[in-house]
Amino acid sequence: GNSVTQMEGPVTLSEEAFLTINCTYTATGYPSLFWYVQYPGEGLQLLLKATKADDKGSNKGFEATYRKETTSFHLEKGSVQVSDSAVYFCALRRFSGGATNKLIFGTGTLLAVQP
Amino acid sequence: NAGVTQTPKFQVLKTGQSMTLQCAQDMNHNSMYWYRQDPGMGLRLIYYSASEGTTDKGEVPNGYNVSRLNKREFSLRLESAAPSQTSVYFCASSEGQGYMNTEAFFGQGTRLTVV
């Protein structure tokens, strides 16, 4: 079946450090891939997305590239800030015939950035 | 911009009590979802509704019922609450079938504790 695996957290970094959060997926066909972010006490919001192989999604200094050959969609940011502290979820969506195109989430990675 | 609105934000129930979580969206979306979020397990889909008048089970439907009252509203009911249903519940909505690339919008969540 379809699934998403992302690195365990928490990830603790100092401000201005480089961030990578790994995400790999299992899916047949060509899913769309997403990163969502959840700030403390809030719901999830879309951070970036990519809809086909080799697409790069980017937003707020974060980027991720859809790598079909390695079935990966790793999240990166060159210089993190304290305000980036949140839980990050990798997700995929694959259209499955008559069913609605459900989002499938990874378990989430907590990022804590220290000043 | 209200987006997706969930009520209540917090609730404490005794084992065996019933309650309904309400969700409404004002974006004219066809699809709506209920997820639960538990530590180390990410978001798991409870039920979803591809369109008004239709509902389907997700990964963890046992102990829950849903009603798609109209296009705007999608409620989740716990008939006899159990401690295992202590969780944070999120409602979400998105464009329906054929709109793979669109994002899902989430409510702010309901933190439910069953004692």
Side-chain angles (χ1 to χ4, degrees):
Chain A
N2 302 321
S3 65
V4 175
T5 302
Q6 54 182 114
M7 63 189 288
E8 299 258 343
V11 173
T12 303
L13 296 173
S14 297
E15 209 164 21
E16 300 184 2
F18 184 86
L19 168 70
T20 300
I21 301 178
N22 290 339
C23 171
T24 57
Y25 68 90
T26 302
T28 55
Y30 302 92
S32 295
L33 301 174
F34 305 82
W35 276 101
Y36 280 80
V37 59
Q38 184 182 29
Y39 298 104
E42 298 185 10
L44 281 72
Q45 51 188 279
L46 180 68
L47 180 59
L48 54 84
K49 66 182 181 185
T51 58
K52 59 183 187 297
D54 300 324
D55 265 4
K56 178 186 282 188
S58 61
N59 186 27
K60 300 181 181 179
F62 291 90
E63 6 180 87
T65 301
Y66 188 163
R67 302 281 189 206
K68 189 161 175 60
E69 64 276 13
T70 54
T71 63
S72 65
F73 192 55
H74 304 322
L75 182 69
E76 296 182 337
K77 186 175 186 183
S79 176
V80 293
Q81 305 300 314
V82 172
S83 58
D84 294 326
S85 298
V87 181
Y88 292 82
F89 290 91
C90 186
L92 70 81
R93 170 177 282 157
R94 178 182 172 275
F95 186 59
S96 52
T100 192
N101 45 355
K102 297 170 286 187
L103 271 173
I104 297 169
F105 287 90
T107 54
T109 302
L110 173 63
L111 170 65
V113 180
Q114 298 175 338
Chain B
N1 293 339
V4 179
T5 303
Q6 290 182 235
T7 54
K9 287 189 169 50
F10 301 94
Q11 183 72 49
V12 178
L13 290 179
K14 293 182 179 178
T15 298
Q17 286 186 316
S18 62
M19 79 161 294
T20 300
L21 280 64
Q22 306 287 353
C23 175
Q25 52 93 7
D26 61 2
M27 295 171 284
N28 203 36
H29 286 163
N30 287 311
S31 297
M32 296 185 74
Y33 315 82
W34 277 104
Y35 289 89
R36 60 178 289 174
Q37 182 181 27
D38 301 293
M41 307 201 65
L43 274 77
R44 292 181 292 168
L45 184 64
I46 304 171
Y47 270 94
Y48 63 96
S49 170
S51 60
E52 183 180 353
T54 68
T55 61
D56 286 285
K57 294 178 181 179
E59 298 173 73
V60 289
N62 291 345
Y64 305 95
N65 285 301
V66 289
S67 295
R68 184 74 183 267
L69 304 168
N70 48 53
K71 193 169 186 179
R72 289 188 65 247
E73 298 172 288
F74 187 40
S75 62
L76 177 72
R77 183 160 178 83
L78 287 70
E79 290 291 352
S80 179
S84 60
Q85 294 178 304
T86 294
S87 187
V88 181
Y89 292 84
F90 287 100
C91 178
S93 72
S94 71
E95 293 289 352
Q97 295 184 43
Y99 291 89
M100 273 183 63
N101 305 330
T102 61
E103 66 181 284
F105 292 81
F106 284 79
Q108 292 207 313
T110 297
R111 186 173 295 275
L112 175 66
T113 302
V114 183
V115 298

